[in-house]
Amino acid sequence: MNPVEIIKKKRDSNKLTKQEIDFFIDGYLENKIPEYQMSSFLMSIFFSLMDEEETFHLTEKMLHSGSIVDLSNINKVKVDKHSTGGVGDKTSIILAPMVASCGIAVPMISGRGLGHTGGTLDKLESIPYFNVNLSLDDYKKVIEKIGVVMIGQTKEIAPADKRIYALRDVTATIENISLISASIMSKKLAEGIDSLVLDVKTGTGAFMKSFDESVNLAKSLVKIGNMMQKKTVAYITSMDDVLGFAVGNWLEIVECIKCLRNEIVVSDLMEVTYLLGGTMLKLGGVASSIEDGIKKCQEVIQNGKAYEKFLQIVETQNGDVSFIENIEKYPKSKFEIEIFSNENGFISDINSLEIGLSAILIGAGRMKIDDKIDYKSGIVMNKKVGDKIHKGELLVKFFTDNKSTCDIVKQRIHNAIKIVPESTKPKQLVKAYIDENTNVNFHF
Ligand code: URA
């Protein structure tokens, strides 16, 4: 087979065979197909799309590029959650210890920042010495020992996604249902789970901007999961505002630490986290209903068990717990910039895509594949959509070492926040539930 012919075939909107997909992924992993041909292949999929069958073959191929972990020796139900990516979406950091302390096993394999969205792995790596690169053996040992583990794709787990994900990030080939489905499900199906809850983001800060596109993505993910005998369901949740207040790796970890310690209540973040957690407990058979699961999750936040479990994860994965226990120890950014409101009114819109892109400009994300992240940089919102604001009141603070981007970022963030004179309502956060048969439910 000839890679150019396969690229051309997809470019011209023809259906690829399983053999052609396999040939392309194998060739790339064996370095016979160079990055520029893979980039072109991804762009041809981006424009010409793949159908359900092609998407399934691509997922299977990426899944089988590595090992599928066998966790059958662990006699707890194994459930995970994955998000399609958002701005300030830090739910995994709270969810994993919270759900694990309720008695189900959480084997979690996550990705790095992608486009304007943050990644769980980068957030975890902002904790000094935290090791997300465990071998498969250690991955199994950790989940056996503490009931939860949080790692990235290794050479052994979905290595095709590891490379393609990084390439998509810098070639504008992220926002495609087939590529996202194959990327997420190849990781998730490899990790040894029984069930999966998906958080499909929708709105300005999501990869899928419209509700209908998000539902199509959710259906694609749910269908693949259930075809592979993993009970999979999805929620569609809003990205028309930042989730919580912090955007940026260490800043998000700090927000999670405070939520886990029950020191602050971040209502939108915790609403999504509790709903996902309650659903995981229901799927894992330790809650009689989602509501019962939510109650159990709230209990372990209130009694400190979720925080204890988080400390245990950090310690077991070699992270320096002293930074968690004393967040003030962390290095500080050179510049702390405050943005104030120029008017009285109400926040009607926060363009979370612009907030995510601004976070990259100040060092919290990557523009090139090998860019180093400044973990301490980021943005802290002071207001949410629906909030009242006075002229001169603080809107946003951001932290960076990069002075050259401060003025432009200040302007972009200002422009991203719309203030109107009349009162506004917060956006609906949880928009729909997609059950395992891909039915879309608005009341759940
Ligand atoms: N998360 C992933 O793991 N992959 C994508 O393509 C998008 C979000």
Side-chain angles (χ1 to χ4, degrees), residues 82-85 114 161 165 168 174 179-180 183-184 187 207:
H82 197 84
S83 152
T84 57
L114 190 63
D161 179 55
Y165 187 93
R168 283 170 59 219
I174 301 170
L179 296 176
I180 297 178
S183 165
I184 292 180
K187 285 191 281 283
F207 293 128

Side-chain angles (χ1 to χ4, degrees), residues 167-187:
L167 188 60
R168 283 170 59 219
D169 191 22
V170 291
T171 54
T173 50
I174 301 170
E175 303 91 336
N176 172 273
I177 289 182
S178 301
L179 296 176
I180 297 178
S181 299
S183 165
I184 292 180
M185 297 311 285
S186 62
K187 285 191 281 283

